[in-house]
Amino acid sequence: SLSPFNLCRQEDKPEDKSFEVAAKCVDQAFLFAAENLDSIGLPLTPKLAELIRPRLKGCEGDIAGYLDPRWKALTFEWNLGNDRRSSGRVAARRVIPAAVDDRRV
């Protein structure tokens, strides 16, 4: 499988694989953007996450569970309002930070 979390995992469902592959793509997009913006001295902003979100068609909460923890500040809102029940494995790994305030003062 594609992630290090599969040591004691049961058989994957096809949608779990899809979420995992989508998360790898989003992770690569964030990494590529961060590297390029760092090279010119600019920070990675939540705007990138908001531009990607509509293309995930409502699965952003499930995909956020597979993302690298360093992107949690960007994808915090993806977990909010995710009423759909996902697999226990993804829900158990998903951690919502206590307070994230992205407003500019």
Side-chain angles (χ1 to χ4, degrees), residues 25-82:
C25 294
V26 171
D27 185 62
Q28 285 295 312
F30 287 161
L31 183 62
F32 184 71
E35 288 174 354
N36 285 321
L37 289 170
D38 281 347
S39 70
I40 59 172
L42 296 173
L44 186 60
T45 64
K47 183 70 173 174
L48 176 61
E50 290 308 310
L51 292 173
I52 290 174
R53 189 176 186 178
R55 289 168 174 76
L56 300 177
K57 301 180 181 186
C59 296
E60 62 271 6
D62 296 310
I63 292 169
Y66 287 98
L67 287 175
D68 190 302
R70 66 182 154 183
W71 310 126
K72 294 295 182 189
L74 295 175
T75 61
F76 172 72
E77 289 184 4
W78 290 10
N79 291 320
L80 300 178
N82 187 22

Side-chain angles (χ1 to χ4, degrees), residues 1-12 16-17 20 23-24 27 62-70 72 87-95:
S1 188
L2 298 175
S3 76
F5 300 101
N6 65 350
L7 298 175
C8 299
R9 186 185 300 184
Q10 298 173 355
E11 187 64 31
D12 285 337
D16 290 342
K17 282 284 192 197
E20 199 169 350
K24 285 183 69 85
D27 185 62
D62 296 310
I63 292 169
Y66 287 98
L67 287 175
D68 190 302
R70 66 182 154 183
K72 294 295 182 189
S87 67
R89 186 182 77 255
V90 174
R93 280 201 333 243
R94 190 175 298 138
V95 176

